[in-house]
Amino acid sequence: MDLPPLGLGTYDMTDPETCATAVATAVDLGYDHVDTAQSYGNEALVADGLARADRDADDVLVATKLDTDHLGYDDVIDTARRSANRLDVDAIDLLYVHWPTDTYDPAETLPALEELVDGGLVDRIGLSNFRPDQLTEALDRLDAPIFAHQVEMHPLCPQPELHELAVERGHRLVAYSPIARGKVAEVPAIVDVAEKHDATPAQVSLSWLHAKGNVTPIPKAASPAHIRENYAALDLKLDDEDVAKIDGVDRRHRIVDFEGAPWNQV
């Protein structure tokens, strides 16, 4: 299975009914990708939502991420098994290293990922929040291919270097916080494009990511209305003028930023 063009993010969805309903709603609408993480504490809730949906769960690519405290060799193996149990799957479709921080050690973490693939517990491996130099090091160390690299990406955080690396090295870029938690609605250029297409700024941001090519946004949405709104962005096609206008936005803002983040350690 290739990575679908749109996924459902589930960050901070810890209410059992809210999470399961959102997942079931999205999957029944047509979403083919759901993203979770060990640190979200909702892997079992995602599994519940998949079980509630009318579609076959095997048609949906489910991704989870290793917590930063679980990146030693044995911990990777052990906690991946626990994630598989919580997700109620024989094999995890896509397993990421959530952050290259804390217990991350390329000499231990990366071989453990390959062991999981070789043993059949994980189908595909991914990385998340890596700097370009960290990503390049990991790609050069690994024999197994990297399927995806997940990073914050939206018009205020466009990630050109990581996008170029993804195209060059043959993996997908997965964009979390793709509407900048609503801040795209504060950008005049995005609002102008939205009015031109009778769309919302959120839909324009998602369509802009699609126009970049090789990018899969995973917007978090809990309400059925927002889940439908984001899905409708797949039908919105921006022209070259629209893309150039948004590319010209010079405002920069990270939603997820903290002192220990990889990009603050250089």
Side-chain angles (χ1 to χ4, degrees), residues 41-124:
N42 63 6
E43 290 171 319
L45 307 181
V46 168
D48 184 24
L50 291 167
R52 293 189 194 186
D54 291 332
R55 292 177 58 203
D56 189 336
D58 290 341
D59 294 335
V60 182
L61 189 151
V62 180
T64 192
K65 311 177 200 73
L66 294 161
D67 187 81
T68 58
D69 289 336
H70 301 154
L71 298 177
Y73 187 94
D74 291 338
D75 282 343
V76 168
I77 303 296
D78 180 54
T79 62
R81 291 194 182 108
R82 296 186 187 189
S83 285
N85 288 336
R86 287 189 292 267
L87 290 167
D88 194 24
V89 296
D90 294 327
I92 298 170
D93 293 325
L94 172 58
L95 180 67
Y96 292 97
V97 174
H98 203 160
W99 293 88
T101 59
D102 297 336
T103 61
Y104 175 70
D105 179 349
E108 287 206 18
T109 309
L110 302 178
L113 291 174
E114 294 191 306
E115 174 64 26
L116 289 169
V117 172
D118 291 343
L121 187 67
V122 170
D123 287 339
R124 307 165 187 83

Side-chain angles (χ1 to χ4, degrees), residues 3-8 30-34 172 206 210 215-219 227 230-234:
L3 194 60
L6 183 70
L8 177 73
Y31 284 69
D32 295 322
H33 177 31
V34 178
R172 191 84 171 174
L206 296 174
H210 287 140
V215 180
T216 290
I218 50 168
I227 291 169
N230 293 337
Y231 192 71
L234 293 172

